[in-house]
Amino acid sequence: MSWMILGTAPYEDFPLVESACRLQNGALIIDGHKIGVARGTPALLATACLAAEVMGIEGPQTLLVGDIGDGKGSAKLYSRLLDKIADDLPEVLVFHYLQPDLNYSLKISMGLEELPRKPLLVADAGYMYVAKMSGLANVYDLFTPDIGELAFLADEKAPHPFYTRGFLLQDEAEAPELVKKAYKHQNAARYLLVKGRKDLVADETGIIDEISEPCVENMEPVGGTGDSLTGLVSSLIASGFTIDKAASVAARANRYMGFLANPTPAFSIAECLKFLPEALERVVDNK
Amino acid sequence: MMSLLRKFYHGLRGIADPSGNVTKSGVCDRGIILFDHTSDVIKAEEILKAAGVDVCVKGPPPEVRTGCDMAVEFPLVCELQVNQLLEQNRIKPIRILPLQDLLLQPVSLFNTKDYGDYLMVRAANMKITVDKSDLRIVNISGGGCPDVPYLADRLVGRTLFEAPEPRSMGKTLCGYALQLAYEELKKQCHG
C-alpha cells in the first residue's frame, strides 16, 4: 500500500517538504535535507524506513515541516493536506507530532470522511490529541496512546493531557476501564494500541490482545520508543497486515528491539534502532 | 449524505467555541486570562497579538469574574508561551483557565521512578530522566506537541542546573508539563 507520514522536525526554518525519505549512515535524507534521528517524527520515519526494508515494501512518503511549538509549520502542513485531500491521497496516512489545532483538524477529519475511499488513518502524539478534541476520533482507524494519553482519551472533558483529571490515579490496572470510557464518549479510534508495561490492543469490544514479553524496564525513559512503535505498526499496516494484527506484531517487535539493545535509561532511540531489523524479522517469522 | 447528517448532528450536540469551531464532544481548545485591571488586558492583547498568538478580548464567564470585566481568550495549547510573554512584560494575570471547564486544573501530582543510577520524573504526559552521579539530563520522553523534540535537543546532555528551563524555550502545554517535571526533579535532587 502507498503510505505517508505527516509530522514535524524540531527546526524553526525547516521548509515544508513532500518527498520519499531514506536512511543513510543513521541520518534521514529527505528531499536533499539531512536530519538526525533523536525522537519525534524523525524517529518514526527512521523506524518506518528500516521496517519497510525488512518487509520488502516501498518506504513511506513524508509530508514534513519544521515546527518548534509555535504552530506555524504545522499550519502550513495542515493547509497543504487540505489541498491534497481533493487529489489522490496515499492509502495509509500517519499523523504524528503536529500542533493541536482544532479548526484545521475539523476540516481535515470532515474532508477525509467525505472521500469515496477514505485512507486508513493512524494518529499519534499532538494530532491524536486534537483528533480526540474535535469529537471526530471515530473517523480514525488507529490511535497509539500511552497509558497517560489513554486517561486523556477517557476523560471527556480534558482538552489536553495536561488537564486530564485524576491522571496519576489511573494506573495500568485501570486500562480496561479507561478503554471502555474512551469508546463510550466516542473519543477513540476504531483500534487502540496502548503503550505501557503491558501493551494493549483494543477496540470497542474491549481489550483484544495483551503483549507483555519481553519486558525491558529501561525502555520507558528512552525518548522515541513510542515513536518507533508507531513507525512499526504503520509499516505493518502498509505491508497489508490487518490493523489489530499489525498492532500486536509491532508491540512484540518493539519489545524485542529493546531486549536486543539492552538499553540503560541514557540510551538514545538511534542506538536501539540498530536492533530493529533483527527484532522485526524474528517476530514476523514467528507470527 | 452521512457527512451532512454529521454536520447537522454537530450543530445539535456541539458547542461553538469562540472562534466558531464546533465540536461534537463539546471540548473547547481555548483558554482565558483574567486580570485585575483593564489596562493589563489591553497591554496583554497587544503583546500577545504582536507575538502571533491568536487572541481576542471577551467578557469573563460570571463564575470567575473577580477583577475587571474584560478577559483575554487564547488557544489553550499556547499556555506556556502566553505565560512567558506576560512574565517578560511584567503583566501579572489573576488566573489562566481552560474555557472547556473552569474547574479543570493542571496536573499537580508527580510520578518518580528510581532506576538505580538514574532517576525519572513524570508530570502529565512528560518524562525527564537524569544520571544521579552528575545530574546530567539523559533522556526526555512522552508528549505530543512539536516543541518537545526541540526542547529535548537542547536539554539532553546538560546538567539539571546548567540547562535552560524548559519554559524559557517551550510554548505548549507539553512544554509546560516538562517544566513541572523539571522543577520536581530539581527539588528531589536538591534533597
Side-chain angles (χ1 to χ4, degrees):
Chain A
M1 286 186 203
S2 57
W3 52 315
M4 175 178 265
I5 292 165
L6 305 94
T8 53
Y11 313 109
E12 195 167 15
D13 51 0
F14 192 89
L16 178 66
V17 291
E18 184 178 346
S19 163
C21 66
R22 65 191 165 86
L23 260 180
Q24 187 181 299
N25 301 325
L28 281 168
I29 309 292
I30 303 171
D31 198 29
H33 301 274
K34 192 173 173 183
I35 302 175
V37 176
R39 56 184 59 70
T41 306
L44 190 160
L45 286 167
T47 308
C49 290
L50 289 166
E53 208 173 313
V54 172
M55 300 306 295
I57 61 166
E58 193 77 20
Q61 288 288 310
T62 182
L63 192 54
L64 189 76
V65 70
D67 196 325
I68 60 167
D70 56 16
K72 288 177 190 162
S74 297
K76 283 183 203 163
L77 186 148
Y78 288 137
S79 182
R80 174 78 187 106
L81 178 61
L82 284 170
D83 290 343
K84 276 183 76 67
I85 285 179
D87 300 341
D88 194 19
L89 281 174
E91 292 159 283
V92 182
L93 292 181
V94 182
F95 295 89
H96 203 226
Y97 271 78
L98 290 159
Q99 186 87 336
D101 185 311
L102 190 53
N103 197 23
Y104 274 120
S105 174
L106 280 166
K107 286 179 190 164
I108 289 166
S109 300
M110 286 181 169
L112 290 169
E113 202 189 15
E114 282 173 8
L115 291 174
R117 255 189 80 192
K118 179 173 76 70
L120 283 170
L121 303 174
V122 178
D124 185 23
Y127 194 84
M128 176 179 68
Y129 301 170
V130 74
K132 177 254 183 174
M133 208 194 298
S134 71
L136 292 173
N138 54 10
V139 171
Y140 295 80
D141 297 288
L142 176 67
F143 283 173
T144 53
D146 64 16
I147 186 71
E149 289 167 334
L150 176 63
F152 159 68
L153 297 177
D155 183 345
E156 77 281 9
K157 286 194 170 180
H160 187 279
F162 188 66
Y163 283 104
T164 303
R165 291 170 294 172
F167 181 83
L168 288 175
L169 305 176
Q170 313 293 0
D171 64 26
E172 293 200 20
E174 294 186 47
E177 191 54 34
L178 293 173
V179 165
K180 206 184 284 178
K181 278 186 185 166
Y183 279 105
K184 181 183 166 195
H185 298 295
Q186 297 178 47
N187 287 327
R190 188 152 63 96
Y191 289 97
L192 294 174
L193 168 54
V194 184
K195 306 171 267 200
R197 199 179 155 76
K198 224 194 280 182
D199 296 322
L200 306 170
V201 183
D203 66 9
E204 63 182 349
T205 65
I207 310 287
I208 54 177
D209 197 8
E210 292 186 3
I211 305 97
S212 56
E213 294 296 334
C215 185
V216 183
E217 289 285 346
N218 287 347
M219 284 282 272
E220 189 183 1
V222 177
T225 50
D227 306 318
S228 61
L229 180 55
T230 305
L232 276 165
V233 70
S234 303
S235 59
L236 290 165
I237 291 169
S239 303
F241 281 59
T242 58
I243 295 171
D244 52 342
K245 188 74 188 168
S248 298
V249 172
R252 284 189 182 88
N254 207 46
R255 285 169 174 270
Y256 262 112
M257 177 182 74
F259 175 77
L260 295 171
N262 190 22
T264 71
F267 260 45
S268 71
I269 187 65
E271 290 170 285
C272 296
L273 285 177
K274 290 174 193 162
F275 298 91
L276 184 129
E278 186 186 340
L280 183 57
E281 275 166 15
R282 196 188 283 196
V283 172
V284 169
D285 286 346
N286 291 329
K287 75 178 188 289
Chain B
M1 184 62 184
M2 277 308 289
S3 69
L4 279 175
L5 282 172
R6 185 182 276 279
K7 280 171 187 166
F8 177 66
Y9 181 61
H10 268 240
L12 287 178
R13 286 258 332 257
I15 58 161
D17 81 11
S19 311
N21 294 333
V22 178
T23 76
K24 179 179 70 178
S25 61
V27 175
C28 177
D29 67 343
R30 309 281 290 180
I32 195 158
I33 318 168
L34 306 174
F35 296 94
D36 266 325
H37 306 290
T38 309
S39 59
D40 285 342
V41 175
I42 294 163
K43 206 169 154 192
E45 184 196 19
E46 191 184 310
I47 287 157
L48 296 173
K49 265 190 179 162
V53 182
D54 173 24
V55 294
C56 59
V57 173
K58 294 272 169 85
E63 59 268 43
V64 292
R65 191 168 292 171
T66 53
C68 72
D69 279 344
M70 289 159 76
V72 176
E73 208 186 87
F74 69 101
L76 189 62
V77 73
C78 305
E79 186 171 338
L80 181 58
Q81 184 188 11
V82 164
N83 252 321
Q84 279 299 97
L85 287 165
L86 295 179
E87 198 178 307
Q88 281 160 15
N89 288 278
R90 297 198 181 99
I91 304 171
K92 212 172 167 192
I94 303 173
R95 285 169 81 189
I96 299 183
L97 298 166
L99 261 181
Q100 160 63 27
D101 184 331
L102 299 166
L103 298 177
L104 286 178
Q105 296 282 329
V107 289
S108 55
L109 297 171
F110 301 95
N111 182 284
T112 303
K113 203 164 174 181
D114 194 329
Y115 286 91
D117 292 337
Y118 303 90
L119 192 67
M120 182 183 84
V121 168
R122 184 178 83 181
N125 54 341
M126 289 304 311
K127 292 169 260 190
I128 180 168
T129 306
V130 290
D131 183 327
K132 285 184 197 168
S133 67
D134 56 6
L135 299 184
R136 190 170 42 93
I137 300 168
V138 295
N139 250 312
I140 285 172
S141 56
C145 296
D147 54 348
V148 171
Y150 174 75
L151 288 166
D153 275 1
R154 273 142 195 85
L155 267 65
V156 171
R158 304 173 84 165
T159 73
L160 204 48
F161 293 92
E162 74 180 17
E165 293 199 28
R167 68 175 180 169
S168 68
M169 298 174 294
K171 296 179 191 305
T172 68
L173 287 172
C174 290
Y176 205 153
L178 180 60
Q179 172 70 23
L180 297 182
Y182 161 90
E183 285 172 7
E184 175 64 20
L185 195 50
K186 257 180 133 172
K187 207 189 300 172
Q188 292 193 22
C189 290
H190 252 319

